[in-house]
Amino acid sequence: MAYGWLYSGDDPVVTRYWPQAADEATETVTALLASSREQCEAYAPALADDVRIPNSWVHAQVLQARALYRSMIAGDSNGVGADGFTVTVFPMDWTVKALLRPKRGPWAK
């Protein structure tokens, strides 16, 4: 269980949600985790100083770092994969946003 932002690709949360990170240079993964943390902090609502980082935010950090990595390898085409089978990468996808700011139903107060 995570108790704060991630700083290393060796963390089990990183290896669980982004197993390919182990194949990348340590400095690259560390930089991507730092960048994704900044993006997640900017998008997420503010927390009180005495509240720990929610696990969903840590999950979002890893997913955003993975998305940043994909955008690095996509190049100018904004897609990853062979011609005709590309996947478009986005700056921050709805999954990451939902982890940081979950939607509440009409039943939630």
Side-chain angles (χ1 to χ4, degrees):
M1 181 180 293
Y3 292 103
W5 295 115
L6 302 171
Y7 298 94
S8 167
D10 296 333
D11 192 287
V13 175
V14 175
T15 56
R16 183 178 319 130
Y17 296 114
W18 184 21
Q20 299 82 3
D23 300 333
E24 297 304 319
T26 302
E27 298 82 15
T28 300
V29 175
T30 300
L32 290 170
L33 286 170
S35 295
S36 67
R37 187 193 85 229
E38 290 174 7
Q39 291 175 327
C40 288
E41 285 179 321
Y43 186 81
L47 289 177
D49 290 336
D50 60 341
V51 176
R52 72 176 178 84
I53 303 299
N55 288 332
S56 62
W57 291 16
V58 177
H59 185 181
Q61 179 191 9
V62 176
L63 294 181
Q64 183 62 12
R66 186 176 70 180
L68 290 172
Y69 173 75
R70 287 181 179 160
S71 69
M72 278 180 13
I73 63 172
D76 294 336
S77 67
N78 291 329
V80 178
D83 290 338
F85 299 100
T86 60
V87 175
T88 304
V89 294
F90 300 100
M92 183 178 274
D93 80 6
W94 65 271
T95 306
V96 174
K97 289 180 178 181
L99 286 166
L100 296 169
R101 290 186 183 179
K103 299 267 188 233
R104 299 201 183 265
W107 58 90
K109 300 228 180 208

